[in-house]
């Protein structure tokens, strides 16, 4: 299995809702990532997990809360989001050692009303 | 700084012609330079990459060159085809933390 999967594909939520994005990979990768991509822009790194521990938080607002329950799963918990948080949220995974390809999931298209 | 500058932002070429995209990075600690292709509504996919100890790499119609002294790297696509139409992102990676920083992207249109 050489794919990263993400659910849901689309999510519409209000500013008072709590929702979660899920990401899964079975390639044995021990590094997992969350990126945010706005229309016509490059992906922007949000969080990096290495060996299930948070190693990088790119000063992301606390309304985004990542979680890595095991080596195959990565979640992003959302609470009290703003309309400007609407974007494509991409998950990726790779081997921890550098020089390795990051494999991206198809993304979750999030709309905050 | 940690920026990756990418040019041009849009590129229109005739089918069969070559396309060249250039990127500049600023961090001497960068040691890995991947190129991703993202078709409309799809995920970014790696098309070629190069490590800092290599000057050039080729894979069929795609090649990447790296000039570490000048902190430049470039993507070359030869014999372009309509299916090459997409947004291309360069990126650099710092070994510490596996942090990937993307350039602004180049929208390539190959006209039949």
């Amino acid at each position: 299995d050489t794919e990263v999967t993400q659910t849901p594909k689309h999510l519409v939520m209000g500013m008072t809702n709590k929702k979660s994005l899920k990401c899964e990979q079975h390639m044995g990768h021990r590094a997992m990532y969350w990126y945010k991509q706005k229309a016509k822009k490059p992906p922007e790194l949000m969080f990096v997990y290495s060996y299930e521990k948070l190693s990088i938080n790119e000063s992301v607002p606390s309304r985004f809360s990542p979680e890595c329950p095991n080596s195959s799963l990565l979640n992003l918990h959302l609470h009290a989001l703003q309309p400007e948080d609407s974007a494509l949220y991409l998950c990726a995974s790779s081997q921890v050692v550098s020089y390795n390809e990051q494999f991206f999931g198809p993304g979750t298209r999030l709309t905050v009303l | 700084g940690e920026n990756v500058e990418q040019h041009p932002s849009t590129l229109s070429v005739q089918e069969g012609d070559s396309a060249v995209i250039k990127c500049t990075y600023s961090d001497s600690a960068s040691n890995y330079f991947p190129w991703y292709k993202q078709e409309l509504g799809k995920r970014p996919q790696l098309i070629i990459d190069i490590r800092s100890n290599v000057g050039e790499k080729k894979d069929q119609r795609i090649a990447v060159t790296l000039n570490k002294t000048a902190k430049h790297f470039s993507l070359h696509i030869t014999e372009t085809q309509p299916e090459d139409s997409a947004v291309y992102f360069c990126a650099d990676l710092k070994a510490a933390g596996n942090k990937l920083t993307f350039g602004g992207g180049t929208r390539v249109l190959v006209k039949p």
Side-chain angles (χ1 to χ4, degrees):
Chain A
D1 188 352
T2 58
E3 271 212 336
V4 176
T5 59
Q6 290 186 244
T7 55
K9 289 186 178 179
H10 301 275
L11 179 62
V12 179
M13 60 186 291
M15 289 189 285
T16 58
N17 292 157
K18 283 186 181 181
K19 295 287 184 183
S20 297
L21 310 185
K22 297 186 182 301
C23 174
E24 190 167 3
Q25 56 88 16
H26 295 286
M27 293 179 277
H29 292 163
R30 301 301 295 276
M32 296 187 77
Y33 313 80
W34 281 114
Y35 289 87
K36 173 182 178 179
Q37 186 176 26
K38 301 281 271 185
K40 299 187 179 181
K41 296 291 187 182
E44 289 182 15
L45 183 66
M46 300 173 73
F47 303 103
V48 180
Y49 273 83
S50 293
Y51 299 109
E52 296 85 68
K53 288 187 172 20
L54 184 66
S55 59
I56 293 179
N57 176 341
E58 289 287 280
S59 303
V60 179
S62 59
R63 57 185 184 267
F64 295 92
S65 175
E67 178 196 21
C68 191
N70 61 54
S71 60
S72 299
L73 294 174
L74 185 66
N75 298 322
L76 186 63
H77 303 296
L78 314 173
H79 174 54
L81 294 194
Q82 304 296 311
E84 58 264 30
D85 296 322
S86 298
L88 180 69
Y89 288 85
L90 293 161
C91 172
S93 72
S94 74
Q95 296 181 29
V96 173
V97 176
S98 64
Y99 301 140
N100 282 290
E101 175 182 358
Q102 290 188 17
F103 290 81
F104 284 84
T108 293
R109 175 81 53 195
L110 174 68
T111 302
V112 182
L113 300 176
Chain B
E2 301 178 339
N3 290 338
V4 177
E5 305 244 341
Q6 183 171 346
H7 298 281
S9 56
T10 59
L11 181 58
S12 182
V13 297
Q14 207 65 39
E15 182 178 359
D17 288 350
S18 295
V20 179
I21 303 170
K22 299 185 178 183
C23 288
T24 303
Y25 64 99
S26 58
D27 193 338
S28 300
S30 299
N31 59 7
Y32 172 67
F33 305 90
W35 286 87
Y36 282 85
K37 175 183 180 182
Q38 188 174 27
E39 297 179 53
L40 190 63
K42 301 282 184 68
R43 72 188 81 191
Q45 292 199 293
L46 183 77
I47 55 170
I48 197 166
D49 55 13
I50 191 166
R51 299 183 182 187
S52 57
N53 59 349
V54 175
E56 186 172 356
K57 184 177 177 181
K58 189 173 181 181
D59 182 4
Q60 298 181 11
R61 297 186 296 108
I62 295 172
V64 57
T65 58
L66 172 65
N67 181 331
K68 280 188 65 178
T69 303
K71 297 194 179 77
H72 290 168
F73 58 114
S74 299
L75 178 72
H76 303 253
I77 306 174
T78 58
E79 300 170 29
T80 53
Q81 301 167 4
E83 51 265 37
D84 294 329
S85 296
V87 179
Y88 292 80
F89 293 103
C90 63
D92 75 344
L93 183 116
K94 286 79 169 169
N98 274 358
K99 181 176 174 179
L100 198 60
T101 303
F102 287 86
T106 298
R107 186 170 301 276
V108 174
L109 176 63
V110 181
K111 294 180 285 187

